[in-house]
C-alpha cells in the first residue's frame, strides 16, 4: 500500500462513519417523530441487554453505577463506529461489501425492532429509512473518493474538495439530526418519567361500579370499557406533544372577572371525581370505530370557571392545546350539571401521552372536536360570534352535539353463518341523553326489540344483542336505536361533514 492508498483508506473510513451517522440519525429522527418506542438504537440496545448474561450485567452496573446506560450507549456507538469505518474501507477495496455491511446493520436494527413488544407497520420505517439513507450515501461518498484517487494532478484539488464537502457536510448533517433526535428523545424520557411518577389521588366522588349486566360477554362485541391502549386516537399532532407536568399550567382568560391559573399539583389537590364517559369522533362513519368508553378522573370545569367568574354575555369557551389546536365548547355544557371534566386520569392511570397528558377536557354529549381538548393549556371565555375553533375554520359546524347512533359489532359484514338462531350484537349511544331501546330488522321484515344490557350512565354507550332466526340465503340486518327522550335514530344517510354522519348501520350475511 502506498501513501495515496493509505490516504484514500482513511477518507473511506471517514466516509463510512459519516454515512453510518446519517443512517442512524435518519432512523432515530424518524422514530422520534413517529413514536418514542420505535428507536432502532434503543431496540438494539434492549435486545443486547436482555441477552447479556446476568454476571456481565451486574459487573457493568457495579462498574458504572447509575451511568450504566450512558456507558452502554457509548459502547454501542463505539461498536457501530468500528464497523462503519471498516465498511467504508471495504467499500473502497471490494464494493459493494461495505454497503452490504451497512445493510446488515440495518437488518439487525429491523430484527431488534420487530422483537420488541407492540410492533406495527410503522415500526419498520425507522430501520428501513436508515438503510435507505446509509447505503446510497456510502456509495456516493466512495465514488467521490475513487474519482479523487484516479484524478489527474491538475484535477486533484477539485476532486479533493468534492470529498471534503461531501463527507464533511454529511457528518455535519448527521450530528445536527442526531442532536435533534436526542433532544426530542430526552423530552420524551422526561415526560414519560414524570407521568410514571404521577400518583393519582383517590376520587372524592367515585364512579358507581359498572353494573354486572353491562357486559354481555359476546365474542366480537366491543367491551363496554375500552382499554386505553385500544382507545382510538384522533388529533392533528404529527408527533405527540411532550408536556412537562411540573411546568404545565392552565389559564382561564377572556370574559372573566379575574384571570386564574392552576398548576398540575393544584389540580391534583382538588376534590376529584370519577365518571364513565363515551367519547366519539365526528368523523366516525356509520358503523365505524372512532368511539370509545373510559373511566375519567378529573375536576369539574365549572369549578374553575366559577373561580374566574364568567361575565355576562359569554356563550363559548375556546380551549387551546399546547400545540395550538382549539375547540369551541358551548359555555352551558361546561357550567351545567353534567360531568364536564378537566381530566387527569383515564381508566385509573394518568392520561397516556397520546390522550393528552397531563390534562385534557372531556364533556359528555359533544363530539371530541368541540370539547375534548388534549394537552389543554388555556380556557378563553368568549362568544361564538368572536372566536372560531380549528375545525370550524375548516368547514365543520361550530357546535357538535353527538348524534344518537347504533352499530352492529358481530357478526361482521359479509360473514357466513349457519341457518337457524344467529346472535347479533353491538353498541348504541346517545351521550348525555341515554338509550331507551334498540331494534333490529332482517331484510324488509318487522323491527324486533333487541335486548339491552345494563347501562353504566346516560353518558356512556350500551351493549345490545338479539337472536335472529335466519333461513338460508343472503340477508341484510339493520339496527336502529331510540334515545331516552324518545327520539328515533335518523335513518337518512348523511356524510360525516359538517356535523356527524347519520344513517342506519347494516350488515350483509350469507346464511348457508
Ligand atoms: N390538542 C388536540 N386535542 C384534540 C384533538 C386535536 O387534534 N388536538 N382532536 C380532538 C378530536 S377530533 C377528538 S375525536 C378527540 C379524540 O380523543 P382521543 O385521541 O383521546 O381519542 O380529541 C380531541 N382533542
Ligand atoms: Mo374527532
Amino acid at each position: 500500500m502506498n501513501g495515496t492508498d493509505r490516504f484514500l483508506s482513511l477518507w473511506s473510513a471517514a466516509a463510512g462513519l459519516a454515512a453510518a451517522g446519517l443512517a442512524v440519525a435518519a432512523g432515530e429522527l424518524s422514530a422520534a417523530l413517529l413514536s418514542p418506542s420505535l428507536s432502532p438504537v434503543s431496540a438494539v440496545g434492549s435486545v443486547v441487554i436482555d441477552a447479556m448474561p446476568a454476571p456481565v450485567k451486574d459487573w457493568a452496573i457495579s462498574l458504572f453505577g447509575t451511568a450504566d446506560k450512558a456507558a452502554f450507549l457509548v459502547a454501542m456507538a463505539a461498536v457501530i463506529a468500528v464497523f462503519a469505518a471498516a465498511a467504508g474501507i471495504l467499500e473502497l477495496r471490494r464494493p459493494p461489501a461495505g454497503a452490504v455491511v451497512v445493510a446488515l446493520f440495518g437488518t439487525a436494527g429491523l430484527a431488534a425492532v420487530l422483537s420488541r413488544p407492540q410492533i406495527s407497520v410503522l415500526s419498520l420505517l425507522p430501520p428501513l429509512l436508515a438503510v435507505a439513507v446509509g447505503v446510497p450515501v456510502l456509495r456516493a461518498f466512495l465514488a467521490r473518493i475513487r474519482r479523487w484517487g484516479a484524478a489527474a494532478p491538475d484535477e486533484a484539488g477539485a476532486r479533493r474538495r468534492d470529498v471534503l464537502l461531501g463527507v464533511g457536510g454529511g457528518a455535519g448533517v448527521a450530528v445536527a439530526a442526531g442532536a435533534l433526535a436526542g433532544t426530542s428523545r430526552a423530552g420524551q424520557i422526561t415526560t414519560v418519567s414524570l407521568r410514571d411518577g404521577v400518583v393519582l389521588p383517590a376520587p372524592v366522588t367515585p364512579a358507581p361500579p359498572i353494573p354486572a349486566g353491562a357486559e354481555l360477554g359476546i365474542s366480537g362485541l366491543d367491551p363496554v370499557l375500552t382499554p386505553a391502549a385500544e382507545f382510538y386516537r384522533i388529533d392533528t399532532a404529527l408527533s405527540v406533544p411532550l408536556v412537562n407536568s411540573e411546568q404545565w399550567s392552565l389559564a382561564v382568560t377572556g370574559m372573566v372577572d379575574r384571570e386564574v391559573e392552576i398548576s398540575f399539583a393544584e389540580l391534583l389537590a382538588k376534590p376529584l371525581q370519577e365518571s364513565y364517559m363515551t367519547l366519539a369522533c365526528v368523523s366516525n362513519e356509520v358503523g365505524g370505530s372512532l368511539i370509545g368508553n373510559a373511566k375519567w378522573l378529573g375536576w369539574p370545569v365549572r369549578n374553575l370557571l366559577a373561580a374566574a367568574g364568567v361575565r355576562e354575555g359569554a356563550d363559548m369557551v375556546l380551549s387551546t392545546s399546547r400545540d395550538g389546536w382549539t375547540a369551541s365548547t358551548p359555555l352551558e355544557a361546561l357550567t351545567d350539571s353534567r360531568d364536564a371534566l378537566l381530566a387527569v386520569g383515564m381508566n385509573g392511570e394518568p392520561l397516556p401521552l397520546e390522550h393528552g397528558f397531563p390534562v385534557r377536557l372531556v364533556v359528555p354529549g359533544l363530539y371530541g372536536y368541540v370539547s375534548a381538548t388534549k394537552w389543554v393549556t388555556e380556557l378563553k371565555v368568549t362568544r361564538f360570534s368572536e372566536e372560531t375553533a380549528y375545525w370550524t375554520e375548516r368547514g365543520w359546524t361550530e357546535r357538535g352535539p353527538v348524534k344518537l347512533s347504533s352499530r352492529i359489532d358481530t357478526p361482521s359484514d359479509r360473514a357466513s353463518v349457519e341457518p337457524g338462531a344467529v346472535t347479533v350484537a353491538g353498541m348504541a349511544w346517545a351521550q348525555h341523553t341515554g338509550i331507551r331501546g334498540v331494534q333490529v330488522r332482517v331484510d324488509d321484515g318487522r323491527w324486533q326489540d333487541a335486548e339491552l344490557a345494563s347501562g353504566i350512565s346516560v353518558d356512556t354507550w350500551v351493549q345490545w344483542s338479539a337472536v335472529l332466526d335466519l333461513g338460508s340465503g343472503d340477508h341484510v340486518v339493520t339496527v336502529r336505536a331510540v334515545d331516552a327522550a324518545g327520539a328515533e335514530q335518523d335513518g337518512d344517510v348523511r356524510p360525516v361533514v359538517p356535523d356527524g354522519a347519520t344513517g342506519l348501520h347494516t350488515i350483509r350475511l350469507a346464511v348457508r
Side-chain angles (χ1 to χ4, degrees), residues 231-236 281 321 325 355 360 372 374-375:
F231 209 96
Y232 80 95
R233 174 186 167 197
I234 292 286
D235 54 61
T236 58
C281 182
S321 156
W325 186 87
H355 295 290
R360 76 176 302 172
K374 305 191 266 190
W375 316 289

Side-chain angles (χ1 to χ4, degrees), residues 27 48 51 60 66 120 209 247 270 326 330 351 370-371 495 509:
V48 175
T66 49
S120 71
Q247 286 157 14
K270 297 292 182 191
T326 52
L351 294 178
V370 289
S371 66
L509 292 180

Side-chain angles (χ1 to χ4, degrees), residues 31 47 93 111 181 210 238 303 315 317-318 339 409 453 464 512:
V47 167
R93 305 264 166 83
I210 296 182
L238 186 59
N303 295 341
D315 64 3
V317 171
L318 189 80
D339 297 328
D409 284 14
W464 60 266
R512 51 195 51 124

Side-chain angles (χ1 to χ4, degrees), residues 173-244:
V173 171
V175 168
L180 199 62
T183 325
S184 94
R185 208 156 150 63
Q188 276 157 0
I189 290 167
T190 308
T191 309
V192 167
S193 66
L194 283 172
R195 179 182 177 275
D196 288 347
V198 170
V199 180
L200 292 179
V204 170
T205 320
I210 296 182
E215 187 70 67
L216 295 175
I218 295 171
S219 114
L221 177 61
D222 250 17
V224 74
L225 186 68
T226 315
E230 277 151 44
F231 209 96
Y232 80 95
R233 174 186 167 197
I234 292 286
D235 54 61
T236 58
L238 186 59
S239 59
V240 176
L242 300 169
V243 180
N244 182 316

Side-chain angles (χ1 to χ4, degrees), residues 408-461:
I408 303 171
D409 284 14
T410 182
S412 50
D413 190 27
R414 294 177 185 278
S416 298
V417 296
E418 310 250 306
V422 174
T423 299
V424 293
M427 320 294 294
W429 58 91
Q431 286 93 311
H432 211 55
T433 304
I435 293 290
R436 172 183 297 173
V438 169
Q439 295 181 311
V440 287
R441 177 172 78 169
V442 180
D443 302 322
D444 292 324
R446 66 175 182 87
W447 287 101
Q448 45 190 94
D449 286 334
E451 189 196 321
L452 216 53
S454 314
I456 299 177
S457 80
V458 294
D459 295 335
T460 64
W461 62 7

